[in-house]
Amino acid sequence: MKGSERLDYKAAGVDIDLADEFIRRIGPVAASTRTDLSMDAIGSFAGMIRLDGNRWREPVLVACTDGVGTKLKLAFETGDHSGIGIDLVAMSVNDLLVTGATPVAFLDYLATSRLELENHTAVIESIAEGCRQSGCALVGGETAELPGFYSAREYDLAGFALGVVEKSEILSPDNVIAGDWIIGIPSDGIHSNGYSLVRKIFEDRNRFPLDQPLRGMKEPLGRVLLKPTRIYRPELAAALAAGGLKSAAHITGGGIPGNLPRAIPKHLGICLVEHSWPVPEIFRQMQDIGEIEDQEMYRTFNMGLGMMLVVSPDRAHALIQSLEGGGYSAHVVGWIDAEPGLRRVKKFDPPTPVTGKCGSIGTRKSTAIPRIAVLGSGRGSNMESLCEAIDRDDLHASIACVISNNSKAFILERARCRGIPAVHLSGKTHPGNESSALQDVLKHYRIDAIVLAGYMKKLSPEIVEEYRDRIFNIHPALLPAFGGPGMYGMNVHRAVLRSGAVFSGVTVHRVDEDYDTGYIVAQRVVQVLPGDSPEMLAARVLKQEHDLYWRVLEKALHPGSA
Ligand code: GAR
């Protein structure tokens, strides 16, 4: 230190008096966000929130964090900080809402090189506004003064949201089945993603002054670009109240292709109907000015939909009415498809899931009912006969999904008609990892037993091991004769007739690592008649299959019951 020059914290860049004044100013701002769950802080080291025992029986805490990104640069440039805090809250709260949670608390972190009373108070005021919109109490925050760390007059923001959801009401991809509808709720513009590209498109200030509107638009460009992200709390509340909401996606970085698939099971797909929602003008202008490809636009921006809901079709209209009743618009924009991937389609033509007794929906809540997966490669008549047995109450099981390695197999069509999730899974859909994808699907549907009915693939040793003694197959002959590789369908009956055997029949056996060698659970004899063709014999055998399989499964799945 030289001569009389005294070094203190202020000289080093941190003004404690100013910080005290800042805290004095933002105290009432934070207080304005109090909710019925707020508590008077005991001491002031941490924020507290009360969980109301009357509101939640089994409360689950949900936590999210996010920032605003380079949209901040536009706030610095325009000096308008009045919406940036809403963006901050929205980014976390919207992520939290898609779990079905109610936001209850928020904390912020503002970091800057030098505290600026006016600007930074405006930021906190806008955070408080976001909190009020989302029903969160602003229970804490940190303003970090880091001299020389950030460029002059710049700051960064981070936010943390806490929510609560009743455990049994968590929205999850697990609830989604093929045929569910997708409803899109409009965004309020660009929200808080893609701003590196936005700023690049409009970087020439001579051409694009922020205080002037773009051609054909009314508001100045700066205001359009700084429009705060919409907080979807009221929309989600209306949708939850209407019932039928299964899952939801907040459309942020990555756009619809990057976010909607996160709201559905991996083995299902998405069909989006072209032109089914209005794309706001700002996106069109950005695409034109930047000469940006369509695909790039859709994977960078929300393109007019900030929140997407996956809804049971029978509740979709009630849900839309509930949203519209609250003054919010909503568009039916597509459906969940049995084939994985995201496709654009010309018209709305979803399959109609029927929630029959053997479908997964009707029985989802029951724990006593074993959940079975039926695997087949062909017409699926055995699957149908199992469904009929379930409908008659003869077989106490739920077919939680039907899986085929053949996309054209009629068994998938039958499943869809009955509202059963129909999954096509093969080397084509999952190159190199078919077997682990199959395991994932079985896990996803919480399968208790696997029922093979004309499935032309060998199960992997891992699956056989995991479901040992809980995998069944039906074979159209009396094993151990006429079994093994290549012995399926009509080949079996041809071999029986060629051999001159006077009896054939049906075998239900457990599946082990080899072909048709597992423990035989039941057999039924079918007489070979003089003049039988393979088709004639097959028809009589099949009739017995339909009568035998459900009986054997009922016994095997409920040992000990009468
Ligand atoms: C059934 O006949 C079954 O026994 C046979 O495939 C047919 C499937 O018909 N399975 C085998 O040959 C196994 N080796 P389905 O699709 O109408 O149920």
Side-chain angles (χ1 to χ4, degrees):
M1 224 180 347
K2 282 192 283 166
S4 61
E5 212 178 291
R6 294 270 298 276
L7 190 57
D8 59 14
Y9 210 12
K10 190 171 179 180
V14 179
D15 186 341
I16 292 178
D17 295 333
L18 196 67
D20 285 345
E21 169 60 12
F22 180 66
I23 287 167
R24 204 187 52 70
R25 281 194 189 194
I26 63 173
V29 177
S32 74
T33 66
R34 283 182 66 89
T35 68
D36 57 336
L37 300 177
S38 292
M39 287 175 69
D40 289 325
I42 304 166
S44 54
F45 286 97
M48 293 189 190
I49 207 90
R50 190 172 58 84
L51 289 191
D52 184 346
N54 296 325
R55 212 182 295 179
W56 296 287
R57 215 172 31 83
E58 215 180 334
V60 173
L61 293 178
V62 186
C64 294
T65 180
D66 209 342
V68 177
T70 56
K71 187 174 185 177
L72 284 168
K73 287 265 185 199
L74 289 164
F76 308 149
E77 193 177 341
T78 56
D80 178 0
H81 308 273
S82 62
I84 212 76
I86 300 176
D87 286 307
L88 181 71
V89 178
M91 293 312 286
S92 284
V93 160
N94 286 341
D95 279 355
L96 191 146
L97 287 169
V98 299
T99 67
T102 304
V104 297
F106 191 80
L107 297 101
D108 69 281
Y109 173 79
L110 186 159
T112 183
S113 278
R114 182 174 285 273
L115 200 57
E116 288 174 22
L117 266 191
E118 297 305 320
N119 286 348
H120 295 153
T121 304
V123 173
I124 304 296
E125 273 167 355
S126 72
I127 293 174
E129 172 57 23
C131 286
R132 284 188 295 271
Q133 285 183 20
S134 52
C136 278
L138 183 58
V139 296
E142 164 75 0
T143 306
E145 230 180 328
L146 314 172
F149 203 83
Y150 294 94
S151 306
R153 316 221 62 186
E154 298 204 343
Y155 57 84
D156 196 13
L157 288 176
F160 314 89
L162 188 69
V164 186
V165 60
E166 184 64 43
K167 188 164 179 235
S168 60
E169 287 166 17
I170 295 174
L171 298 178
S172 148
D174 290 357
N175 304 331
V176 174
I177 62 169
D180 284 339
W181 289 16
I182 303 169
I183 292 174
I185 309 183
S187 61
D188 281 349
I190 308 170
H191 285 182
S192 306
N193 284 101
Y195 274 82
S196 299
L197 182 55
V198 173
R199 285 169 37 248
K200 194 87 199 140
I201 294 167
F202 297 118
E203 71 185 343
D204 181 350
R205 281 287 165 268
N206 293 324
R207 266 181 82 199
F208 304 112
L210 292 175
D211 56 356
Q212 300 289 317
L214 288 176
R215 195 171 331 126
M217 292 183 77
K218 290 198 181 79
E219 283 184 299
L221 177 60
R223 203 172 309 151
V224 172
L225 300 186
L226 276 171
K227 197 165 271 181
T229 306
R230 181 151 158 191
I231 293 175
Y232 290 93
R233 165 135 194 205
E235 291 88 336
L236 259 292
L240 285 165
L245 179 61
K246 296 184 165 191
S247 180
H250 177 204
I251 308 305
T252 54
I256 295 173
N259 290 287
L260 186 54
R262 297 162 66 186
I264 71 164
K266 283 196 182 60
H267 61 275
L268 295 180
I270 293 160
C271 286
L272 281 184
V273 183
E274 286 175 1
H275 314 299
S276 56
W277 72 91
V279 174
E281 180 62 17
I282 184 64
F283 294 112
R284 297 184 193 286
Q285 297 246 11
M286 288 200 295
Q287 184 163 16
D288 280 358
I289 294 164
E291 295 177 16
I292 300 165
E293 292 200 353
D294 223 38
Q295 204 194 353
E296 190 62 12
M297 290 297 292
Y298 277 85
R299 66 174 198 186
T300 308
F301 301 113
N302 66 57
M303 299 307 278
L305 297 177
M307 182 64 73
M308 296 177 90
L309 310 177
V310 183
V311 176
S312 174
D314 55 333
R315 300 295 309 157
H317 288 296
L319 193 140
I320 291 172
Q321 264 173 7
S322 164
L323 283 167
E324 288 177 345
Y328 313 107
S329 50
H331 312 280
V332 176
V333 297
W335 70 88
I336 304 299
D337 202 50
E339 290 288 308
L342 192 151
R343 285 171 292 284
R344 288 199 193 189
V345 293
K346 297 249 176 283
K347 64 177 178 79
F348 186 67
D349 187 19
T352 318
V354 183
T355 52
K357 238 181 170 182
C358 60
S360 64
I361 299 173
T363 52
R364 181 171 280 278
K365 285 205 174 69
S366 173
T367 47
I369 303 283
R371 299 167 61 81
I372 61 181
V374 178
L375 275 61
S377 308
R379 74 198 144 185
S381 70
N382 273 293
M383 189 279 282
E384 193 72 39
S385 81
L386 296 181
C387 285
E388 285 163 9
I390 291 170
D391 287 343
R392 291 193 308 268
D393 256 348
D394 282 339
L395 172 58
H396 298 96
S398 148
I399 302 183
C401 69
V402 166
I403 302 169
S404 181
N405 59 321
N406 171 6
S407 66
K408 302 218 161 44
F410 194 54
I411 191 169
L412 290 177
E413 200 50 44
R414 288 187 199 255
R416 285 183 202 113
C417 289
R418 282 186 167 268
I420 302 172
V423 181
H424 167 221
L425 201 155
S426 68
K428 274 194 201 140
T429 58
H430 295 81
N433 67 347
E434 186 181 351
S435 169
S436 66
L438 179 54
Q439 263 177 307
D440 287 349
V441 172
L442 297 171
K443 269 210 186 76
H444 172 82
Y445 287 106
R446 308 189 306 280
I447 294 305
D448 300 307
I450 301 172
V451 173
L452 306 185
Y455 190 57
M456 301 295 194
K457 282 245 160 175
K458 206 170 163 192
L459 295 176
S460 69
E462 291 77 25
I463 293 181
V464 173
E465 184 55 40
E466 192 175 340
Y467 292 86
R468 182 147 332 258
D469 293 336
R470 292 182 290 140
I471 312 176
F472 301 88
N473 182 40
I474 191 156
H475 186 79
L478 295 174
L479 290 176
F482 309 110
M487 276 296 172
Y488 55 81
M490 214 48 81
N491 292 350
V492 180
H493 306 296
R494 280 192 208 101
V496 169
L497 292 178
R498 257 199 319 267
S499 75
V502 287
F503 290 112
S504 187
V506 180
T507 303
V508 177
H509 65 98
R510 291 211 165 97
V511 173
D512 63 12
E513 282 78 1
D514 225 326
Y515 281 105
D516 301 330
T517 52
Y519 175 83
I520 292 174
V521 187
Q523 291 190 306
R524 192 174 276 183
V525 171
V526 174
Q527 213 182 336
V528 178
L529 299 177
D532 257 349
S533 67
E535 289 76 16
M536 287 156 74
L537 177 58
R540 289 204 310 285
V541 168
L542 191 64
K543 194 157 176 254
Q544 294 307 316
E545 289 184 36
H546 295 166
D547 189 59
L548 183 65
Y549 213 1
W550 66 262
R551 291 177 197 274
V552 174
L553 289 173
E554 175 66 10
K555 273 210 183 109
L557 297 173
H558 303 281
S561 60

